[in-house]
PDB file of all heavy atoms in Angstrom:
ATOM      1  N   ARG A 557     -16.939  19.487  -5.336  1.00 88.00           N
ATOM      2  CA  ARG A 557     -15.872  19.006  -4.453  1.00 88.00           C
ATOM      3  C   ARG A 557     -14.514  19.320  -5.075  1.00 88.00           C
ATOM      4  O   ARG A 557     -14.392  19.548  -6.281  1.00 88.00           O
ATOM      5  CB  ARG A 557     -16.002  17.502  -4.202  1.00 88.00           C
ATOM      6  CG  ARG A 557     -15.969  16.640  -5.450  1.00 88.00           C
ATOM      7  CD  ARG A 557     -16.300  15.192  -5.135  1.00 88.00           C
ATOM      8  NE  ARG A 557     -16.335  14.363  -6.322  1.00 88.00           N
ATOM      9  CZ  ARG A 557     -15.286  13.715  -6.820  1.00 88.00           C
ATOM     10  NH1 ARG A 557     -14.112  13.778  -6.192  1.00 88.00           N
ATOM     11  NH2 ARG A 557     -15.392  12.979  -7.904  1.00 88.00           N
ATOM     12  N   ILE A 558     -13.502  19.327  -4.226  1.00 88.00           N
ATOM     13  CA  ILE A 558     -12.134  19.611  -4.649  1.00 88.00           C
ATOM     14  C   ILE A 558     -11.450  18.316  -5.076  1.00 88.00           C
ATOM     15  O   ILE A 558     -11.501  17.307  -4.358  1.00 88.00           O
ATOM     16  CB  ILE A 558     -11.329  20.260  -3.512  1.00 88.00           C
ATOM     17  CG1 ILE A 558     -11.969  21.594  -3.095  1.00 88.00           C
ATOM     18  CG2 ILE A 558      -9.876  20.471  -3.919  1.00 88.00           C
ATOM     19  CD1 ILE A 558     -11.948  22.646  -4.181  1.00 88.00           C
ATOM     20  N   VAL A 559     -10.804  18.344  -6.239  1.00 92.00           N
ATOM     21  CA  VAL A 559     -10.006  17.202  -6.685  1.00 92.00           C
ATOM     22  C   VAL A 559      -8.662  17.716  -7.188  1.00 92.00           C
ATOM     23  O   VAL A 559      -8.500  18.908  -7.470  1.00 92.00           O
ATOM     24  CB  VAL A 559     -10.709  16.397  -7.806  1.00 92.00           C
ATOM     25  CG1 VAL A 559     -12.013  15.808  -7.310  1.00 92.00           C
ATOM     26  CG2 VAL A 559     -10.956  17.278  -9.024  1.00 92.00           C
ATOM     27  N   GLY A 560      -7.710  16.816  -7.289  1.00 96.00           N
ATOM     28  CA  GLY A 560      -6.367  17.192  -7.706  1.00 96.00           C
ATOM     29  C   GLY A 560      -6.049  16.802  -9.132  1.00 96.00           C
ATOM     30  O   GLY A 560      -6.910  16.322  -9.887  1.00 96.00           O
ATOM     31  N   ASP A 561      -4.795  16.979  -9.496  1.00 97.00           N
ATOM     32  CA  ASP A 561      -4.312  16.638 -10.834  1.00 97.00           C
ATOM     33  C   ASP A 561      -4.076  15.140 -11.010  1.00 97.00           C
ATOM     34  O   ASP A 561      -4.007  14.657 -12.139  1.00 97.00           O
ATOM     35  CB  ASP A 561      -2.983  17.355 -11.111  1.00 97.00           C
ATOM     36  CG  ASP A 561      -3.158  18.817 -11.453  1.00 97.00           C
ATOM     37  OD1 ASP A 561      -4.290  19.320 -11.380  1.00 97.00           O
ATOM     38  OD2 ASP A 561      -2.148  19.469 -11.790  1.00 97.00           O
ATOM     39  N   VAL A 562      -3.897  14.428  -9.911  1.00 98.00           N
ATOM     40  CA  VAL A 562      -3.550  13.006  -9.978  1.00 98.00           C
ATOM     41  C   VAL A 562      -4.808  12.159  -9.799  1.00 98.00           C
ATOM     42  O   VAL A 562      -5.509  12.272  -8.787  1.00 98.00           O
ATOM     43  CB  VAL A 562      -2.512  12.640  -8.899  1.00 98.00           C
ATOM     44  CG1 VAL A 562      -2.191  11.142  -8.955  1.00 98.00           C
ATOM     45  CG2 VAL A 562      -1.236  13.467  -9.070  1.00 98.00           C
ATOM     46  N   ASP A 563      -5.077  11.329 -10.780  1.00 97.00           N
ATOM     47  CA  ASP A 563      -6.191  10.392 -10.679  1.00 97.00           C
ATOM     48  C   ASP A 563      -5.929   9.457  -9.490  1.00 97.00           C
ATOM     49  O   ASP A 563      -4.847   8.860  -9.393  1.00 97.00           O
ATOM     50  CB  ASP A 563      -6.283   9.586 -11.973  1.00 97.00           C
ATOM     51  CG  ASP A 563      -7.511   8.693 -12.029  1.00 97.00           C
ATOM     52  OD1 ASP A 563      -7.965   8.216 -10.976  1.00 97.00           O
ATOM     53  OD2 ASP A 563      -8.011   8.461 -13.135  1.00 97.00           O
ATOM     54  N   PRO A 564      -6.886   9.315  -8.559  1.00 96.00           N
ATOM     55  CA  PRO A 564      -6.669   8.434  -7.408  1.00 96.00           C
ATOM     56  C   PRO A 564      -6.246   7.025  -7.786  1.00 96.00           C
ATOM     57  O   PRO A 564      -5.545   6.348  -7.015  1.00 96.00           O
ATOM     58  CB  PRO A 564      -8.036   8.443  -6.705  1.00 96.00           C
ATOM     59  CG  PRO A 564      -8.628   9.771  -7.065  1.00 96.00           C
ATOM     60  CD  PRO A 564      -8.172  10.029  -8.474  1.00 96.00           C
ATOM     61  N   ALA A 565      -6.614   6.564  -8.974  1.00 97.00           N
ATOM     62  CA  ALA A 565      -6.222   5.219  -9.393  1.00 97.00           C
ATOM     63  C   ALA A 565      -4.715   5.089  -9.553  1.00 97.00           C
ATOM     64  O   ALA A 565      -4.164   3.981  -9.458  1.00 97.00           O
ATOM     65  CB  ALA A 565      -6.914   4.859 -10.705  1.00 97.00           C
ATOM     66  N   ALA A 566      -4.025   6.208  -9.776  1.00 98.00           N
ATOM     67  CA  ALA A 566      -2.568   6.167  -9.948  1.00 98.00           C
ATOM     68  C   ALA A 566      -1.847   5.853  -8.642  1.00 98.00           C
ATOM     69  O   ALA A 566      -0.703   5.391  -8.646  1.00 98.00           O
ATOM     70  CB  ALA A 566      -2.071   7.499 -10.512  1.00 98.00           C
ATOM     71  N   ARG A 567      -2.508   6.092  -7.527  1.00 97.00           N
ATOM     72  CA  ARG A 567      -1.849   5.879  -6.228  1.00 97.00           C
ATOM     73  C   ARG A 567      -1.488   4.418  -5.996  1.00 97.00           C
ATOM     74  O   ARG A 567      -0.544   4.119  -5.262  1.00 97.00           O
ATOM     75  CB  ARG A 567      -2.763   6.376  -5.106  1.00 97.00           C
ATOM     76  CG  ARG A 567      -3.082   7.854  -5.164  1.00 97.00           C
ATOM     77  CD  ARG A 567      -4.161   8.220  -4.145  1.00 97.00           C
ATOM     78  NE  ARG A 567      -4.515   9.630  -4.198  1.00 97.00           N
ATOM     79  CZ  ARG A 567      -5.512  10.172  -3.524  1.00 97.00           C
ATOM     80  NH1 ARG A 567      -6.273   9.387  -2.741  1.00 97.00           N
ATOM     81  NH2 ARG A 567      -5.774  11.464  -3.613  1.00 97.00           N
ATOM     82  N   ALA A 568      -2.237   3.512  -6.617  1.00 95.00           N
ATOM     83  CA  ALA A 568      -1.990   2.082  -6.402  1.00 95.00           C
ATOM     84  C   ALA A 568      -0.602   1.677  -6.889  1.00 95.00           C
ATOM     85  O   ALA A 568      -0.030   0.698  -6.397  1.00 95.00           O
ATOM     86  CB  ALA A 568      -3.064   1.259  -7.098  1.00 95.00           C
ATOM     87  N   LYS A 569      -0.044   2.413  -7.855  1.00 96.00           N
ATOM     88  CA  LYS A 569       1.273   2.085  -8.387  1.00 96.00           C
ATOM     89  C   LYS A 569       2.396   2.825  -7.658  1.00 96.00           C
ATOM     90  O   LYS A 569       3.569   2.536  -7.875  1.00 96.00           O
ATOM     91  CB  LYS A 569       1.337   2.434  -9.874  1.00 96.00           C
ATOM     92  CG  LYS A 569       0.418   1.605 -10.744  1.00 96.00           C
ATOM     93  CD  LYS A 569       0.470   2.053 -12.190  1.00 96.00           C
ATOM     94  CE  LYS A 569       1.821   1.808 -12.823  1.00 96.00           C
ATOM     95  NZ  LYS A 569       1.835   2.179 -14.264  1.00 96.00           N
ATOM     96  N   ALA A 570       2.028   3.792  -6.818  1.00 98.00           N
ATOM     97  CA  ALA A 570       3.020   4.693  -6.232  1.00 98.00           C
ATOM     98  C   ALA A 570       3.657   4.129  -4.978  1.00 98.00           C
ATOM     99  O   ALA A 570       3.093   3.270  -4.289  1.00 98.00           O
ATOM    100  CB  ALA A 570       2.365   6.034  -5.914  1.00 98.00           C
ATOM    101  N   PHE A 571       4.859   4.650  -4.678  1.00 98.00           N
ATOM    102  CA  PHE A 571       5.471   4.387  -3.378  1.00 98.00           C
ATOM    103  C   PHE A 571       4.850   5.299  -2.323  1.00 98.00           C
ATOM    104  O   PHE A 571       4.613   4.889  -1.181  1.00 98.00           O
ATOM    105  CB  PHE A 571       6.976   4.646  -3.452  1.00 98.00           C
ATOM    106  CG  PHE A 571       7.644   4.710  -2.105  1.00 98.00           C
ATOM    107  CD1 PHE A 571       7.862   3.559  -1.366  1.00 98.00           C
ATOM    108  CD2 PHE A 571       8.029   5.934  -1.557  1.00 98.00           C
ATOM    109  CE1 PHE A 571       8.458   3.608  -0.108  1.00 98.00           C
ATOM    110  CE2 PHE A 571       8.630   5.994  -0.305  1.00 98.00           C
ATOM    111  CZ  PHE A 571       8.841   4.834   0.424  1.00 98.00           C
ATOM    112  N   ALA A 572       4.573   6.554  -2.725  1.00 98.00           N
ATOM    113  CA  ALA A 572       3.992   7.521  -1.802  1.00 98.00           C
ATOM    114  C   ALA A 572       3.210   8.557  -2.595  1.00 98.00           C
ATOM    115  O   ALA A 572       3.468   8.781  -3.782  1.00 98.00           O
ATOM    116  CB  ALA A 572       5.082   8.206  -0.970  1.00 98.00           C
ATOM    117  N   TYR A 573       2.249   9.197  -1.918  1.00 98.00           N
ATOM    118  CA  TYR A 573       1.442  10.213  -2.588  1.00 98.00           C
ATOM    119  C   TYR A 573       0.950  11.238  -1.573  1.00 98.00           C
ATOM    120  O   TYR A 573       0.851  10.957  -0.372  1.00 98.00           O
ATOM    121  CB  TYR A 573       0.231   9.585  -3.297  1.00 98.00           C
ATOM    122  CG  TYR A 573      -0.822   9.059  -2.346  1.00 98.00           C
ATOM    123  CD1 TYR A 573      -1.901   9.861  -1.955  1.00 98.00           C
ATOM    124  CD2 TYR A 573      -0.737   7.782  -1.806  1.00 98.00           C
ATOM    125  CE1 TYR A 573      -2.857   9.393  -1.063  1.00 98.00           C
ATOM    126  CE2 TYR A 573      -1.687   7.312  -0.927  1.00 98.00           C
ATOM    127  CZ  TYR A 573      -2.746   8.121  -0.554  1.00 98.00           C
ATOM    128  OH  TYR A 573      -3.686   7.654   0.324  1.00 98.00           O
ATOM    129  N   THR A 574       0.646  12.432  -2.060  1.00 98.00           N
ATOM    130  CA  THR A 574       0.018  13.435  -1.218  1.00 98.00           C
ATOM    131  C   THR A 574      -1.475  13.459  -1.507  1.00 98.00           C
ATOM    132  O   THR A 574      -1.876  13.507  -2.671  1.00 98.00           O
ATOM    133  CB  THR A 574       0.594  14.847  -1.475  1.00 98.00           C
ATOM    134  OG1 THR A 574       0.274  15.256  -2.808  1.00 98.00           O
ATOM    135  CG2 THR A 574       2.096  14.867  -1.295  1.00 98.00           C
ATOM    136  N   PRO A 575      -2.316  13.425  -0.488  1.00 97.00           N
ATOM    137  CA  PRO A 575      -3.756  13.560  -0.730  1.00 97.00           C
ATOM    138  C   PRO A 575      -4.057  14.990  -1.178  1.00 97.00           C
ATOM    139  O   PRO A 575      -3.259  15.902  -0.986  1.00 97.00           O
ATOM    140  CB  PRO A 575      -4.363  13.273   0.648  1.00 97.00           C
ATOM    141  CG  PRO A 575      -3.293  13.667   1.622  1.00 97.00           C
ATOM    142  CD  PRO A 575      -1.989  13.334   0.947  1.00 97.00           C
ATOM    143  N   ASN A 576      -5.212  15.155  -1.804  1.00 95.00           N
ATOM    144  CA  ASN A 576      -5.631  16.491  -2.222  1.00 95.00           C
ATOM    145  C   ASN A 576      -7.154  16.564  -2.143  1.00 95.00           C
ATOM    146  O   ASN A 576      -7.839  15.906  -2.921  1.00 95.00           O
ATOM    147  CB  ASN A 576      -5.159  16.771  -3.645  1.00 95.00           C
ATOM    148  CG  ASN A 576      -5.298  18.227  -4.043  1.00 95.00           C
ATOM    149  OD1 ASN A 576      -6.033  18.979  -3.408  1.00 95.00           O
ATOM    150  ND2 ASN A 576      -4.604  18.625  -5.090  1.00 95.00           N
ATOM    151  N   PRO A 577      -7.660  17.312  -1.149  1.00 93.00           N
ATOM    152  CA  PRO A 577      -6.965  18.189  -0.200  1.00 93.00           C
ATOM    153  C   PRO A 577      -6.305  17.410   0.940  1.00 93.00           C
ATOM    154  O   PRO A 577      -6.506  16.207   1.070  1.00 93.00           O
ATOM    155  CB  PRO A 577      -8.096  19.081   0.322  1.00 93.00           C
ATOM    156  CG  PRO A 577      -9.329  18.233   0.194  1.00 93.00           C
ATOM    157  CD  PRO A 577      -9.137  17.403  -1.046  1.00 93.00           C
ATOM    158  N   GLY A 578      -5.530  18.143   1.747  1.00 96.00           N
ATOM    159  CA  GLY A 578      -4.893  17.558   2.921  1.00 96.00           C
ATOM    160  C   GLY A 578      -3.431  17.242   2.759  1.00 96.00           C
ATOM    161  O   GLY A 578      -2.822  16.661   3.666  1.00 96.00           O
ATOM    162  N   GLY A 579      -2.839  17.618   1.615  1.00 97.00           N
ATOM    163  CA  GLY A 579      -1.425  17.349   1.388  1.00 97.00           C
ATOM    164  C   GLY A 579      -0.596  18.609   1.357  1.00 97.00           C
ATOM    165  O   GLY A 579      -0.114  19.080   2.392  1.00 97.00           O
ATOM    166  N   VAL A 580      -0.441  19.194   0.173  1.00 97.00           N
ATOM    167  CA  VAL A 580       0.429  20.357   0.002  1.00 97.00           C
ATOM    168  C   VAL A 580      -0.203  21.632   0.561  1.00 97.00           C
ATOM    169  O   VAL A 580       0.502  22.508   1.060  1.00 97.00           O
ATOM    170  CB  VAL A 580       0.795  20.533  -1.486  1.00 97.00           C
ATOM    171  CG1 VAL A 580       1.620  21.793  -1.708  1.00 97.00           C
ATOM    172  CG2 VAL A 580       1.564  19.305  -1.983  1.00 97.00           C
ATOM    173  N   GLY A 581      -1.528  21.753   0.502  1.00 95.00           N
ATOM    174  CA  GLY A 581      -2.194  22.967   0.961  1.00 95.00           C
ATOM    175  C   GLY A 581      -1.844  23.371   2.386  1.00 95.00           C
ATOM    176  O   GLY A 581      -1.425  24.513   2.633  1.00 95.00           O
ATOM    177  N   PRO A 582      -2.000  22.475   3.368  1.00 96.00           N
ATOM    178  CA  PRO A 582      -1.629  22.835   4.739  1.00 96.00           C
ATOM    179  C   PRO A 582      -0.145  23.172   4.890  1.00 96.00           C
ATOM    180  O   PRO A 582       0.222  24.021   5.716  1.00 96.00           O
ATOM    181  CB  PRO A 582      -1.984  21.562   5.533  1.00 96.00           C
ATOM    182  CG  PRO A 582      -2.968  20.843   4.699  1.00 96.00           C
ATOM    183  CD  PRO A 582      -2.621  21.144   3.283  1.00 96.00           C
ATOM    184  N   MET A 583       0.692  22.546   4.086  1.00 97.00           N
ATOM    185  CA  MET A 583       2.126  22.839   4.140  1.00 97.00           C
ATOM    186  C   MET A 583       2.422  24.247   3.631  1.00 97.00           C
ATOM    187  O   MET A 583       3.297  24.942   4.153  1.00 97.00           O
ATOM    188  CB  MET A 583       2.900  21.801   3.337  1.00 97.00           C
ATOM    189  CG  MET A 583       2.857  20.401   3.898  1.00 97.00           C
ATOM    190  SD  MET A 583       3.598  20.285   5.547  1.00 97.00           S
ATOM    191  CE  MET A 583       5.301  20.764   5.198  1.00 97.00           C
ATOM    192  N   THR A 584       1.697  24.670   2.596  1.00 96.00           N
ATOM    193  CA  THR A 584       1.891  26.031   2.072  1.00 96.00           C
ATOM    194  C   THR A 584       1.580  27.057   3.145  1.00 96.00           C
ATOM    195  O   THR A 584       2.332  28.018   3.346  1.00 96.00           O
ATOM    196  CB  THR A 584       0.992  26.248   0.842  1.00 96.00           C
ATOM    197  OG1 THR A 584       1.378  25.340  -0.188  1.00 96.00           O
ATOM    198  CG2 THR A 584       1.119  27.669   0.326  1.00 96.00           C
ATOM    199  N   ARG A 585       0.474  26.863   3.846  1.00 95.00           N
ATOM    200  CA  ARG A 585       0.107  27.797   4.919  1.00 95.00           C
ATOM    201  C   ARG A 585       1.125  27.765   6.046  1.00 95.00           C
ATOM    202  O   ARG A 585       1.471  28.812   6.616  1.00 95.00           O
ATOM    203  CB  ARG A 585      -1.288  27.464   5.434  1.00 95.00           C
ATOM    204  CG  ARG A 585      -2.376  27.981   4.522  1.00 95.00           C
ATOM    205  CD  ARG A 585      -3.755  27.466   4.836  1.00 95.00           C
ATOM    206  NE  ARG A 585      -4.126  27.471   6.246  1.00 95.00           N
ATOM    207  CZ  ARG A 585      -5.296  27.014   6.690  1.00 95.00           C
ATOM    208  NH1 ARG A 585      -6.186  26.533   5.834  1.00 95.00           N
ATOM    209  NH2 ARG A 585      -5.578  27.033   7.973  1.00 95.00           N
ATOM    210  N   ALA A 586       1.646  26.596   6.372  1.00 97.00           N
ATOM    211  CA  ALA A 586       2.660  26.507   7.423  1.00 97.00           C
ATOM    212  C   ALA A 586       3.940  27.226   7.019  1.00 97.00           C
ATOM    213  O   ALA A 586       4.604  27.866   7.850  1.00 97.00           O
ATOM    214  CB  ALA A 586       2.950  25.042   7.748  1.00 97.00           C
ATOM    215  N   MET A 587       4.299  27.152   5.732  1.00 98.00           N
ATOM    216  CA  MET A 587       5.510  27.829   5.265  1.00 98.00           C
ATOM    217  C   MET A 587       5.353  29.344   5.284  1.00 98.00           C
ATOM    218  O   MET A 587       6.326  30.072   5.497  1.00 98.00           O
ATOM    219  CB  MET A 587       5.868  27.365   3.858  1.00 98.00           C
ATOM    220  CG  MET A 587       6.292  25.907   3.758  1.00 98.00           C
ATOM    221  SD  MET A 587       7.685  25.466   4.825  1.00 98.00           S
ATOM    222  CE  MET A 587       6.804  24.606   6.150  1.00 98.00           C
ATOM    223  N   LEU A 588       4.135  29.831   5.096  1.00 97.00           N
ATOM    224  CA  LEU A 588       3.891  31.265   5.221  1.00 97.00           C
ATOM    225  C   LEU A 588       4.220  31.724   6.639  1.00 97.00           C
ATOM    226  O   LEU A 588       4.907  32.731   6.840  1.00 97.00           O
ATOM    227  CB  LEU A 588       2.436  31.567   4.880  1.00 97.00           C
ATOM    228  CG  LEU A 588       2.020  33.036   4.935  1.00 97.00           C
ATOM    229  CD1 LEU A 588       2.628  33.807   3.784  1.00 97.00           C
ATOM    230  CD2 LEU A 588       0.493  33.152   4.910  1.00 97.00           C
ATOM    231  N   LEU A 589       3.751  30.978   7.631  1.00 98.00           N
ATOM    232  CA  LEU A 589       4.066  31.305   9.021  1.00 98.00           C
ATOM    233  C   LEU A 589       5.567  31.199   9.283  1.00 98.00           C
ATOM    234  O   LEU A 589       6.154  32.036   9.977  1.00 98.00           O
ATOM    235  CB  LEU A 589       3.317  30.362   9.962  1.00 98.00           C
ATOM    236  CG  LEU A 589       1.786  30.332   9.875  1.00 98.00           C
ATOM    237  CD1 LEU A 589       1.235  29.332  10.874  1.00 98.00           C
ATOM    238  CD2 LEU A 589       1.191  31.707  10.117  1.00 98.00           C
ATOM    239  N   LYS A 590       6.183  30.167   8.721  1.00 98.00           N
ATOM    240  CA  LYS A 590       7.613  29.966   8.935  1.00 98.00           C
ATOM    241  C   LYS A 590       8.421  31.122   8.364  1.00 98.00           C
ATOM    242  O   LYS A 590       9.393  31.585   8.981  1.00 98.00           O
ATOM    243  CB  LYS A 590       8.059  28.642   8.314  1.00 98.00           C
ATOM    244  CG  LYS A 590       9.455  28.193   8.738  1.00 98.00           C
ATOM    245  CD  LYS A 590       9.682  26.737   8.378  1.00 98.00           C
ATOM    246  CE  LYS A 590      10.988  26.229   8.977  1.00 98.00           C
ATOM    247  NZ  LYS A 590      11.174  24.780   8.742  1.00 98.00           N
ATOM    248  N   ASN A 591       8.022  31.616   7.175  1.00 98.00           N
ATOM    249  CA  ASN A 591       8.707  32.766   6.603  1.00 98.00           C
ATOM    250  C   ASN A 591       8.625  33.968   7.532  1.00 98.00           C
ATOM    251  O   ASN A 591       9.611  34.682   7.735  1.00 98.00           O
ATOM    252  CB  ASN A 591       8.095  33.122   5.235  1.00 98.00           C
ATOM    253  CG  ASN A 591       8.693  32.328   4.086  1.00 98.00           C
ATOM    254  OD1 ASN A 591       9.731  31.685   4.231  1.00 98.00           O
ATOM    255  ND2 ASN A 591       8.036  32.369   2.948  1.00 98.00           N
ATOM    256  N   VAL A 592       7.450  34.216   8.101  1.00 98.00           N
ATOM    257  CA  VAL A 592       7.271  35.367   8.984  1.00 98.00           C
ATOM    258  C   VAL A 592       8.136  35.233  10.231  1.00 98.00           C
ATOM    259  O   VAL A 592       8.794  36.197  10.653  1.00 98.00           O
ATOM    260  CB  VAL A 592       5.780  35.529   9.361  1.00 98.00           C
ATOM    261  CG1 VAL A 592       5.602  36.581  10.449  1.00 98.00           C
ATOM    262  CG2 VAL A 592       4.969  35.907   8.136  1.00 98.00           C
ATOM    263  N   VAL A 593       8.146  34.053  10.830  1.00 98.00           N
ATOM    264  CA  VAL A 593       8.960  33.849  12.029  1.00 98.00           C
ATOM    265  C   VAL A 593      10.441  34.001  11.701  1.00 98.00           C
ATOM    266  O   VAL A 593      11.198  34.630  12.463  1.00 98.00           O
ATOM    267  CB  VAL A 593       8.662  32.467  12.650  1.00 98.00           C
ATOM    268  CG1 VAL A 593       9.638  32.161  13.782  1.00 98.00           C
ATOM    269  CG2 VAL A 593       7.220  32.415  13.151  1.00 98.00           C
ATOM    270  N   GLU A 594      10.865  33.467  10.575  1.00 98.00           N
ATOM    271  CA  GLU A 594      12.281  33.577  10.194  1.00 98.00           C
ATOM    272  C   GLU A 594      12.673  35.017   9.903  1.00 98.00           C
ATOM    273  O   GLU A 594      13.790  35.437  10.224  1.00 98.00           O
ATOM    274  CB  GLU A 594      12.570  32.677   8.995  1.00 98.00           C
ATOM    275  CG  GLU A 594      12.559  31.200   9.341  1.00 98.00           C
ATOM    276  CD  GLU A 594      12.763  30.302   8.130  1.00 98.00           C
ATOM    277  OE1 GLU A 594      12.646  30.786   6.986  1.00 98.00           O
ATOM    278  OE2 GLU A 594      13.050  29.101   8.330  1.00 98.00           O
ATOM    279  N   ILE A 595      11.774  35.789   9.292  1.00 98.00           N
ATOM    280  CA  ILE A 595      12.054  37.208   9.067  1.00 98.00           C
ATOM    281  C   ILE A 595      12.293  37.903  10.403  1.00 98.00           C
ATOM    282  O   ILE A 595      13.229  38.685  10.569  1.00 98.00           O
ATOM    283  CB  ILE A 595      10.902  37.890   8.298  1.00 98.00           C
ATOM    284  CG1 ILE A 595      10.820  37.358   6.863  1.00 98.00           C
ATOM    285  CG2 ILE A 595      11.079  39.414   8.273  1.00 98.00           C
ATOM    286  CD1 ILE A 595       9.539  37.775   6.133  1.00 98.00           C
ATOM    287  N   ALA A 596      11.432  37.617  11.376  1.00 97.00           N
ATOM    288  CA  ALA A 596      11.576  38.215  12.715  1.00 97.00           C
ATOM    289  C   ALA A 596      12.879  37.791  13.367  1.00 97.00           C
ATOM    290  O   ALA A 596      13.571  38.609  13.990  1.00 97.00           O
ATOM    291  CB  ALA A 596      10.382  37.838  13.589  1.00 97.00           C
ATOM    292  N   GLU A 597      13.221  36.525  13.237  1.00 97.00           N
ATOM    293  CA  GLU A 597      14.464  36.022  13.849  1.00 97.00           C
ATOM    294  C   GLU A 597      15.687  36.661  13.195  1.00 97.00           C
ATOM    295  O   GLU A 597      16.648  37.051  13.888  1.00 97.00           O
ATOM    296  CB  GLU A 597      14.518  34.503  13.743  1.00 97.00           C
ATOM    297  CG  GLU A 597      13.499  33.790  14.623  1.00 97.00           C
ATOM    298  CD  GLU A 597      13.416  32.296  14.345  1.00 97.00           C
ATOM    299  OE1 GLU A 597      13.779  31.865  13.218  1.00 97.00           O
ATOM    300  OE2 GLU A 597      12.993  31.550  15.254  1.00 97.00           O
TER     301      GLU A 597
END
Side-chain angles (χ1 to χ4, degrees):
R557 58 188 177 90
I558 299 296
V559 298
D561 283 5
V562 178
D563 187 329
R567 298 171 181 173
K569 294 177 66 177
F571 167 74
Y573 70 93
T574 65
N576 192 342
V580 176
M583 294 298 298
T584 297
R585 281 169 45 182
M587 293 304 103
L588 181 71
L589 301 180
K590 193 166 188 175
N591 274 346
V592 171
V593 172
E594 288 177 346
I595 292 168
E597 291 171 336

